[in-house]
């Protein structure tokens, strides 16, 4: 059976198409060689477990590597220190039972500690065993614990971290692990928030010995290209590897799950030819993207849940998406910290921005869906949607004309504040029912600000750029025309669209065309 693209569980190079992890493993190994304790906290399905497995394989010649998964420990086993120690000893015992590089005396002690009849087991007994093990081992011992989130609501886990910290601080006198690596979504240095509310535990973490983990685990364009080269060697689709890799990266920013999910959809053909040649084209990519944006998965559900858990996060994201207000990146802001931890925001030049176009589109769809009921602009787009598609092609000029008519009739007397806050949102509400189910749109992050944002519409393989801007006078408008014309070069387009929201009560609403060099600009004013 041939290799596949994997989006569940650990990726294995003999079974799955995957990026080359050697560079990442080399960087992480330097931290292990230096004797550092650290946590790998990344968002869901970001390749943490796959990276740990690759790291363990790379360390096995020089270290005794033990990989544990806290998902194998039941919630009831975190009830007390004794039950946790027995469970942890049991898991250690499973992994060292047949290993020749672990002393028999350590195996026997782990079995004794795991004995359910041994009720007086203490955390100190387990760490005494660790000390003996590290002292007797011919090679340094490295401990990896995956899915530490399983323990996030348990004080006993903090006690375990405190013991690790104590042994680390005395490592010159007490034999201990060469390195300890904890992996999960949550940063274990912040777990204190979830367990105790007193000020002492908000400021003192038992894991404040952890080294910073700065290895980039997202996929670059070259990472994706390398994976596709391996795929192409098997299937000979004739794809333009560089073009497809760039498109995947442009929409995902290298988020591993999103990259693999898109590739999986294209590999499955997304309804195209069995020989896969049509699937690995721009049109095939757009079909795969459409499926990904419309599906319901754990990542999207997590995003929606966090917006409910942190209302302030929802507020700042709404402002960022619809008004273009910049949000300074502040690591101490809990909403931003949580959003970054779950992979929804990132720091770009001191500003908090949405991590990728796919998450951005999902957020737009989510926010807009909350306004469908009772929205007159949404109803106007829904009522007239059949007139905007001719022979399968979207007529964007007609969309602008009808939007101008509807907006002027409904909100023509609105004040400046309303136009700034709601104008662009209302256009997206009007557009949504027209392209829904066939196309999608996103706002180009590089142009989003309080003055303008470029909306890119993908519809049946065609792309349209609509600049949404606030009218600031003729001079500013002319500069906007030049900016739009230059931006069209990026998409290799000869026609662009501009929608301006004007505060002037004597404005002349409507749609006109102007020629700028070899570009045709369709301009609408409301």
């Amino acid at each position: 059976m041939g290799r596949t693209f994997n989006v569940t569980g650990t990726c294995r190079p003999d079974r799955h198409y995957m990026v080359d992890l050697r560079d990442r493993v080399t960087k992480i190994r330097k931290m292990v060689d230096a004797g550092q304790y650290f946590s790998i906290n990344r968002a869901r399905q970001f390749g943490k477990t796959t990276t740990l497995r690759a790291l363990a394989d790379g360390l096995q010649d020089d270290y005794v590597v033990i990989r544990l998964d806290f998902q194998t420990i039941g919630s009831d086993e975190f009830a007390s220190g004794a039950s946790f120690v027995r469970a942890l000893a049991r898991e250690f015992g499973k992994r060292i039972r047949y290993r020749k590089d672990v002393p028999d005396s350590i195996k026997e002690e782990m079995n004794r500690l795991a004995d359910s009849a041994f009720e007086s087991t203490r955390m100190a007994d387990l760490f005494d065993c660790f000390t003996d093990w590290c002292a007797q081992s011919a090679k340094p011992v490295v401990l990896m614990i995956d899915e530490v989130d399983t323990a996030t609501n348990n004080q006993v886990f903090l006690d375990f971290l405190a013991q690790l910290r104590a042994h680390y601080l005395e490592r010159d006198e007490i034999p201990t692990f060469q390195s300890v690596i904890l992996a999960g979504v949550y940063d274990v240095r912040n777990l204190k928030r979830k367990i105790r509310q007193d000020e002492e535990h908000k400021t003192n973490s038992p894991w404040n010995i952890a080294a910073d983990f700065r290895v980039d685990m997202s996929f670059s364009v070259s990472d994706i290209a390398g994976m596709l080269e391996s795929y192409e060697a098997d299937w000979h689709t004739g794809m333009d590897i560089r073009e497809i890799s760039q498109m995947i990266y442009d929409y995902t920013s290298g988020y591993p799950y999103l990259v693999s999910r898109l590739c999986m959809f294209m590999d499955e053909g997304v309804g195209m030819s069995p020989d896969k040649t049509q699937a690995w084209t721009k049109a095939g990519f757009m079909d795969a993207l459409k499926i990904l944006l419309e599906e319901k998965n754990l990542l999207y559900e997590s995003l929606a849940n966090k917006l409910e858990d942190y209302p302030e996060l929802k507020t700042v994201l709404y402002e960022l998406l619809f008004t273009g207000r910049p949000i300074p990146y502040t690591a101490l802001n809990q909403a931003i910290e949580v959003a970054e931890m779950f992979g929804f925001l990132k720091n770009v030049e001191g500003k908090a921005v949405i991590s990728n176009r796919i998450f951005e589109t999902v957020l737009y769809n989510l926010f807009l869906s909350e306004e469908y009921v009772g929205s007159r602009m949404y109803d106007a787009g829904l009522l007239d949607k059949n007139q905007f598609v001719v022979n399968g092609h979207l007529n964007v000029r007609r969309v602008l004309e009808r939007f101008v008519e509807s907006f002027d009739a409904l909100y023509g007397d609105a004040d400046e504040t309303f136009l700034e806050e709601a104008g662009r949102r209302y256009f997206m509400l009007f557009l949504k029912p027209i392209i829904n189910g066939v196309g999608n749109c996103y706002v180009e992050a590089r142009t989003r600000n309080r003055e303008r944002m470029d909306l890119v519409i993908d519809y049946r393989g065609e792309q349209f750029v609509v600049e949404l801007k606030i009218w600031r006078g003729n001079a500013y408008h002319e500069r906007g025309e030049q900016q739009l014309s230059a931006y069209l070069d990026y998409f290799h387009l000869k026609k662009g669209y501009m929608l301006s929201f004007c505060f002037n009560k004597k404005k002349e609403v409507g749609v006109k065309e102007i020629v700028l060099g070899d570009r045709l600009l369709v301009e609408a004013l409301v």
Side-chain angles (χ1 to χ4, degrees):
M1 183 175 178
R3 287 181 293 172
T4 61
F5 291 101
N6 181 43
V7 294
T8 57
T10 306
C11 291
R12 302 178 64 96
D14 58 328
R15 300 177 185 175
H16 306 119
Y17 295 108
M18 53 187 292
V19 304
D20 188 342
L21 297 177
R22 285 177 294 183
D23 182 60
R24 294 167 179 77
V25 168
T26 297
K27 292 177 180 178
I28 302 173
R29 177 179 177 128
K30 290 180 180 178
M31 300 179 71
V32 174
D33 291 341
Q36 294 180 337
Y37 284 30
F38 55 95
S39 62
I40 301 176
N41 61 289
R42 291 294 185 273
R44 285 180 180 273
Q45 297 172 297
F46 216 91
K48 299 181 293 294
T49 301
T50 298
T51 300
L52 285 182
R53 180 184 288 274
L55 177 62
D57 290 343
L59 295 175
Q60 62 182 350
D61 290 341
D62 301 306
Y63 297 98
V64 176
V65 182
I66 305 298
R67 292 195 307 114
L68 302 181
D69 186 335
F70 268 11
Q71 289 184 119
T72 61
I73 299 179
S75 58
D76 60 316
E77 294 176 311
F78 286 97
S80 68
S83 60
F84 174 73
V85 167
R86 288 195 295 273
L88 197 56
R90 178 193 69 223
E91 295 307 314
F92 269 104
K94 289 179 182 177
R95 284 155 180 77
I96 66 176
R97 184 174 300 156
Y98 303 109
R99 296 189 61 148
K100 296 181 180 180
D101 54 2
V102 177
D104 289 339
S105 60
I106 300 303
K107 297 177 183 177
E108 294 170 1
E109 180 64 7
M110 284 296 180
N111 290 333
R112 188 182 73 84
L113 292 174
D115 188 348
S116 60
F118 195 61
E119 295 294 336
S120 61
T121 303
R122 300 174 303 148
M123 192 80 72
D125 297 325
L126 181 63
F127 275 85
D128 284 345
C129 182
F130 290 159
T131 298
D132 291 341
W133 182 5
C134 294
Q136 297 175 39
S137 180
K139 296 187 290 187
V141 182
V142 174
L143 174 61
M144 301 178 182
I145 304 178
D146 200 2
E147 301 293 346
V148 295
D149 306 83
T150 306
T152 56
N153 289 316
N154 298 280
Q155 179 62 45
V156 68
F157 179 59
L158 282 190
D159 296 338
F160 175 70
L161 290 183
Q163 291 279 355
L164 283 173
R165 177 182 185 274
H167 279 243
Y168 176 81
L169 294 176
E170 297 182 11
R171 62 192 181 281
D172 291 337
E173 300 179 14
I174 300 177
T176 189
F177 297 114
Q178 166 73 15
S179 179
V180 174
I181 307 168
L182 307 183
V185 174
Y186 288 89
D187 184 343
V188 293
R189 287 177 290 190
N190 297 323
L191 294 181
K192 52 195 178 293
R193 288 188 184 142
K194 300 170 66 74
I195 300 175
R196 292 186 182 177
Q197 297 301 315
D198 56 278
E199 289 303 314
E200 178 183 358
H201 278 263
K202 284 185 179 181
T203 56
N204 294 300
S205 170
W207 197 249
N208 60 12
I209 58 171
D212 291 331
F213 183 79
R214 301 186 182 279
V215 178
D216 186 0
M217 293 175 62
S218 61
F219 297 164
S220 66
V221 176
S222 60
D223 286 333
I224 299 170
M227 179 172 62
L228 294 187
E229 286 171 0
S230 178
Y231 178 88
E232 184 66 5
D234 289 341
W235 292 99
H236 310 290
T237 70
M239 77 168 88
D240 184 329
I241 291 177
R242 189 68 186 179
E243 179 186 44
I244 298 296
S245 300
Q246 187 66 57
M247 284 193 295
I248 293 173
Y249 181 82
D250 286 345
Y251 279 84
T252 66
S253 295
Y255 195 111
Y257 170 82
L258 299 177
V259 171
S260 295
R261 192 68 167 161
L262 284 169
C263 289
M264 187 185 76
F265 288 144
M266 286 187 281
D267 176 50
E268 293 175 350
V270 289
M272 294 193 174
S273 63
D275 64 1
K276 303 179 185 295
T277 58
Q278 295 302 310
W280 291 94
T281 62
K282 182 177 180 179
F285 170 80
M286 299 308 297
D287 283 344
L289 177 65
K290 177 177 175 292
I291 295 173
L292 179 58
L293 288 172
E294 292 179 351
E295 75 171 357
K296 182 178 181 181
N297 59 49
L298 291 176
L299 275 179
Y300 300 165
E301 290 178 353
S302 179
L303 172 56
N305 290 338
K306 296 313 163 190
L307 295 180
E308 295 300 319
D309 295 340
Y310 299 91
E312 64 274 23
L313 172 60
K314 186 173 183 178
T315 299
V316 295
L317 289 177
Y318 191 92
E319 292 290 335
L320 172 63
L321 291 171
F322 289 108
T323 72
R325 284 196 181 97
I327 302 175
Y329 176 86
T330 306
L332 296 178
N333 181 297
Q334 187 179 25
I336 291 176
E337 179 189 36
V338 168
E340 184 179 33
M341 183 168 63
F342 282 89
F344 305 133
L345 284 181
K346 60 184 177 181
N347 180 11
V348 177
E349 297 179 351
K351 295 180 181 179
V353 301
I354 310 299
S355 294
N356 57 68
R357 289 180 185 172
I358 291 177
F359 283 166
E360 182 173 291
T361 303
V362 169
L363 283 169
Y364 273 121
N365 291 341
L366 178 62
F367 285 138
L368 291 174
S369 69
E370 296 173 351
E371 301 188 44
Y372 292 163
V373 178
S375 170
R376 291 182 290 179
M377 290 307 302
Y378 180 85
D379 290 343
L382 183 64
L383 181 65
D384 298 328
K385 64 176 298 182
N386 292 333
Q387 67 179 281
F388 302 121
V389 179
V390 179
N391 297 324
H393 298 278
L394 181 65
N395 187 331
V396 179
R397 178 187 175 116
R398 183 57 185 147
V399 171
L400 291 177
E401 289 173 341
R402 190 70 183 100
F403 174 76
V404 169
E405 295 171 7
S406 300
F407 191 89
D408 189 57
L410 294 172
Y411 309 110
D413 295 328
D415 60 18
E416 178 174 342
T417 300
F418 174 83
L419 291 176
E420 282 194 323
E421 300 296 326
R424 291 176 286 199
R425 186 176 87 250
Y426 277 14
F427 178 70
M428 297 181 75
L429 272 170
F430 181 84
L431 178 65
K432 186 61 180 176
I434 298 172
I435 65 173
N436 192 39
V438 179
N440 64 79
C441 63
Y442 66 89
V443 172
E444 175 52 58
R446 289 170 294 182
T447 67
R448 183 197 292 113
N449 56 52
R450 289 185 64 84
E451 305 299 332
R452 72 181 271 242
M453 59 174 62
D454 289 326
L455 183 68
V456 181
I457 303 171
D458 294 319
Y459 192 88
R460 294 187 183 277
E462 293 184 285
Q463 289 185 307
F464 309 88
V465 177
V466 184
E467 181 178 308
L468 311 177
K469 62 191 294 291
I470 305 299
W471 179 272
R472 300 298 187 194
N474 286 325
Y476 176 78
H477 183 74
E478 290 174 359
R479 289 199 302 273
E481 292 174 337
Q482 295 292 337
Q483 290 171 329
L484 176 58
S485 179
Y487 192 54
L488 292 175
D489 289 336
Y490 176 79
F491 287 93
H492 308 291
L493 297 173
K494 296 295 185 181
K495 180 186 289 188
Y497 305 85
M498 182 180 292
L499 174 59
S500 299
F501 296 90
C502 181
F503 313 134
N504 189 339
K505 296 299 181 182
K506 297 181 180 180
K507 62 180 177 285
E508 184 177 347
V509 301
V511 178
K512 65 179 182 180
E513 294 183 353
I514 72 162
V515 176
L516 194 65
D518 62 346
R519 302 286 191 275
L520 177 66
L521 304 185
V522 180
E523 300 183 358
L525 183 70
V526 294

